[in-house]
């Protein structure tokens, strides 16, 4: 559906998406766990940090180019993994991939994509980085198959989600009794020779593996640990491993000890443990523990370019967004997803100019006022 007035910020796109999406789909994307305290905090916590701009600096040339995992990217703003993009638009993850390629950063593809990983990366321009998000199942052969397919297809990293030994309790979904529409397929669980073939039709009967993948709560490997998980993953792939769902200094140190390439400070968009810290509040302790030995990224609650600036100033190397991209998809498909990314990108560039910074490497904690006595823990638990 087209609108006369183009959206001018992410909040505008959010409102449009809510109008055009079916209630169940909107609830699935928008819901958080339990009372949604953490989901709400993810956004509102940014307001507690204030900017410290510098004046009379030459800001006639601004660049957001940076490096992630040693690779050059146009911007530190990427796309976080989120399931079921075809709930938002019929073109799903393929449209998101094309928007990511035009945007020029990184796309993390969800295991629960409704488009096969091979089809998604084929929409890229050859320069876009694609990372594969992974859940580990009790039957690890299922996860291993996805990892090997991703590596063969050209994905550049594996993003291991560690904050979901079981799915959080999302009251909106429970009230809506939400189930994905039957025509949507979890194509990463299907035979790639079938799903990527010319004769593929989406009305095929669901495969055993696909049905298995849809029941994560019953089939996720709840025994997964630092000791048995990272070493296993390293044994089946040469790709760098990024741990997603880290909120503490202790787990950051364990990621370093296990020679992971990076951590994503994330609370699953507030959809897992309600009452956990917002990601912007958790970020400083993770960055301090990382001590430049491991790259630190962040997702959760980013709705403005100034939010990106604050995260970069507090030490994130890159940030990722999911809901804004999904709202953009619902608004206008590939074009809408790109509009969402481009709005955030332009706002980041404006924030840089108005604070007196011209490149990402200049953005540090001296440009941010942090709240005092924000959250203090009085005892230190052992890893």
């Amino acid at each position: 559906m087209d609108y006369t007035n183009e959206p001018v910020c992410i909040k505008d796109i959010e409102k449009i998406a809510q109008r055009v999406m079916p209630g169940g789909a909107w609830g699935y994307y928008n819901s958080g766990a339990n009372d949604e305290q953490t989901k709400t905090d993810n956004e509102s916590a940014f307001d507690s940090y204030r900017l410290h701009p510098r004046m009379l600096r030459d800001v006639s040339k601004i660049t957001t180019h940076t490096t992630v995992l040693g690779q050059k990217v146009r911007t530190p703003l990427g796309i976080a993994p989120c399931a079921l993009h075809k709930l938002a638009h019929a073109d799903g993850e393929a449209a998101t991939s094309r928007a990511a390629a035009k945007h020029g950063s990184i796309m993390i593809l969800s295991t629960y994509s409704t488009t096969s990983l091979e089809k998604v990366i084929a929409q890229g321009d050859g320069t876009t980085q694609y990372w594969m998000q992974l859940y580990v199942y009790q039957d690890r052969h299922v996860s291993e198959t996805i990892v090997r397919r991703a590596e063969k297809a050209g994905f550049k990293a594996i993003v291991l989600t560690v904050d979901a030994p079981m799915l959080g309790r999302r009251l909106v979904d429970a009230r809506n009794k939400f189930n994905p529409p039957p025509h949507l397929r979890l194509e990463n669980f299907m035979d790639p020779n079938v799903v990527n073939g010319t004769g593929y039709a989406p009305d095929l009967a669901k495969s055993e593996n696909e049905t298995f993948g849809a029941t994560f709560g019953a089939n996720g490997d709840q025994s997964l640990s630092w000791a048995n998980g990272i070493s296993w993953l390293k044994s089946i792939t040469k790709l760098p491993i990024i741990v997603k769902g880290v909120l503490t200094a202790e787990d950051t140190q364990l990621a370093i000890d296990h020679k992971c390439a990076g951590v994503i400070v994330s609370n699953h968009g507030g959809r897992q443990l309600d009452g956990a810290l917002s990601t912007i509040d958790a970020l400083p302790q993770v960055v301090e523990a990382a001590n430049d030995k491991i790259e630190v990224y962040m997702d959760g609650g980013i709705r403005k370019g100034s939010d990106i600036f604050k995260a970069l100033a507090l030490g994130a190397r890159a940030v990722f967004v999911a809901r804004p991209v999904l709202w953009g998809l619902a608004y206008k498909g590939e074009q809408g997803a790109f509009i969402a990314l481009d709005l955030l990108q332009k706002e980041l560039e404006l924030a840089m100019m108005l604070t007196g910074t011209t490149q990402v490497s200049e953005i540090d904690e001296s440009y941010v006022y942090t709240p005092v006595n924000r959250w203090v823990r009085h005892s230190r638990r052992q890893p």
Side-chain angles (χ1 to χ4, degrees), residues 35 45 104 112 134 147 298 318 324 331 333:
D35 294 332
Y112 292 108
L134 182 72
V147 170
M298 196 203 87
Y331 162 52

Side-chain angles (χ1 to χ4, degrees), residues 82-316:
C82 184
L84 309 176
H85 286 208
K86 287 183 181 177
L87 277 178
H89 190 275
D91 291 343
E93 292 84 359
T96 306
S97 180
R98 292 190 293 271
K102 186 177 180 182
H103 174 61
S105 186
I106 298 165
M107 177 178 178
I108 309 177
L109 181 67
S110 171
T111 289
Y112 292 108
S113 171
T114 44
T115 309
S116 75
L117 62 91
E118 292 88 356
K119 292 177 184 174
V120 170
I121 198 170
Q123 300 299 311
D125 60 1
T127 63
T128 306
Q129 278 199 58
Y130 291 87
W131 297 352
M132 187 71 215
Q133 179 271 334
L134 182 72
Y135 291 111
V136 175
Y137 294 93
Q138 293 169 18
D139 180 357
R140 291 196 177 182
H141 176 71
V142 176
S143 301
E144 180 178 346
T145 298
I146 292 173
V147 170
R148 294 193 184 279
R149 282 174 60 185
E151 186 166 3
K152 181 180 179 181
F155 283 70
K156 298 301 184 184
I158 299 297
V159 177
L160 177 65
T161 293
V162 297
D163 60 2
M166 191 169 188
L167 294 184
R169 190 160 186 260
R170 301 156 193 176
L171 303 185
V172 172
D173 286 347
R175 294 185 183 113
N176 289 339
K177 297 182 178 179
F178 174 75
N179 282 304
H183 70 280
L184 296 186
R185 314 304 304 269
L186 297 177
E187 293 191 1
N188 289 328
F189 293 92
M190 299 175 68
D191 182 343
N193 293 319
V194 173
V195 75
N196 298 321
T198 55
Y200 169 68
D203 58 352
L204 291 169
K206 291 190 184 298
S207 67
E208 181 179 351
N209 270 353
E210 187 182 4
T211 303
F212 176 96
T215 56
F216 176 79
N219 293 304
D221 186 355
Q222 296 174 0
S223 72
L224 187 70
S225 68
W226 288 103
N228 68 37
I230 304 300
S231 59
W232 168 77
L233 197 49
K234 284 180 174 289
S235 75
I236 65 170
T237 182
K238 295 180 180 179
L239 294 177
I241 296 167
I242 296 163
V243 180
K244 179 180 183 291
V246 169
L247 294 169
T248 65
E250 297 95 324
D251 282 335
T252 305
Q253 183 59 55
L254 285 167
I256 294 170
D257 294 344
H258 286 82
K259 295 180 171 54
C260 297
V263 294
I264 301 179
V265 179
S266 175
N267 53 38
H268 219 104
R271 291 162 66 80
Q272 284 299 105
L273 176 64
D274 198 28
L277 277 183
S278 73
T279 50
I280 193 66
D281 284 329
L283 178 62
Q285 67 171 293
V286 173
V287 169
E288 182 179 9
N291 195 27
D292 293 327
K293 297 175 183 176
I294 192 171
E295 292 195 354
V296 177
Y297 320 114
M298 196 203 87
D299 68 21
I302 293 168
R303 301 293 182 266
K304 298 175 290 186
S306 58
D307 295 339
I308 301 171
F309 186 96
K310 291 172 183 178
L312 296 176
L314 292 174

Side-chain angles (χ1 to χ4, degrees), residues 63-84:
T63 178
T64 59
H65 285 75
T66 187
T67 59
V68 176
L69 294 182
Q71 301 294 313
K72 292 181 179 179
V73 292
R74 173 179 171 264
T75 171
L77 170 63
I79 299 174
C82 184
L84 309 176

